[in-house]
Amino acid sequence: MRRFKYLKSLHKNINTYPRSGTAPVKAVARGETAVSISFIHDAVTEAQAGFPVKGVAPCEGTGYEIGSMSIIKGARNLDSAKKFYDWTLTPKAQALAAQAKQFQIPSNVGTPVSPLSPKMADIKLINYDFAKYGQSAERKRLLEKWDTEVGAQAR
């Protein structure tokens, strides 16, 4: 797989592999790292906080995430959980994100999008197979391959 060959060659230039979604862009904001692979909306948040950070998407295309939530089977307060779930999907609830300086694209098309949010029309997205890469076995396989072929290398 060409991707792993690329990751192996890039490995020597990586100072850390964080386990948090926002840690890479926060390291850039603090000047600890020159470049990070981060969610582009988190770059907006750091820039709005006054840090010299700019989000840029690769011209070849980029991946994306779809945020989610779940109700845990056997929840003690199932009716309240369902009400909360339903409320979070409303435009009123999703509009709170921008007020909290979070600039993701809301999932409800009735929610106003902050002018600071990334412009999806300007970002080329890859054709991502959620069914394949959302499977636990595929995730496990790829992480094990990365651990063996990339992460285990000396830097």
Side-chain angles (χ1 to χ4, degrees):
M1 207 181 229
R2 290 187 325 227
R3 291 173 194 97
F4 278 89
K5 183 177 180 182
Y6 173 74
L7 292 172
K8 285 166 61 172
S9 68
L10 187 64
H11 181 71
K12 64 182 173 283
N13 296 307
I14 304 297
N15 65 341
T16 186
Y17 291 103
R19 300 246 180 222
S20 162
T22 60
V25 73
K26 288 184 179 299
V28 170
R30 290 188 304 263
E32 297 170 358
T33 301
V35 177
S36 74
I37 298 173
S38 301
F39 297 117
I40 201 162
H41 58 263
D42 288 333
V44 175
T45 301
E46 295 301 319
Q48 289 302 301
F51 293 101
V53 175
K54 180 180 180 185
V56 178
C59 62
E60 300 86 355
T62 189
Y64 56 99
E65 69 153 357
I66 298 174
S68 67
M69 61 184 181
S70 302
I71 295 176
I72 298 171
K73 184 178 180 178
R76 288 179 294 186
N77 301 303
L78 183 59
D79 289 338
S80 294
K82 288 179 180 179
K83 286 178 186 174
F84 178 76
Y85 198 105
D86 289 341
W87 174 77
T88 61
L89 296 174
T90 66
K92 184 177 178 181
Q94 292 189 10
L96 295 172
Q99 292 175 29
K101 298 186 178 15
Q102 297 300 308
F103 301 103
Q104 296 90 333
I105 304 300
S107 62
N108 188 315
V109 296
T111 306
V113 177
S114 169
L116 298 173
S117 291
K119 309 292 182 265
M120 296 307 294
D122 297 341
I123 301 171
K124 181 179 177 183
L125 300 176
I126 61 171
N127 185 12
Y128 187 78
D129 185 343
F130 282 100
K132 177 180 180 179
Y133 295 108
Q135 293 179 20
S136 295
E138 183 65 5
R139 180 180 191 278
K140 181 180 178 187
R141 181 189 75 77
L142 289 170
L143 289 173
E144 286 174 354
K145 183 175 177 72
W146 188 91
D147 284 341
T148 302
E149 294 184 25
V150 181
Q153 290 187 104
R155 284 192 259 172

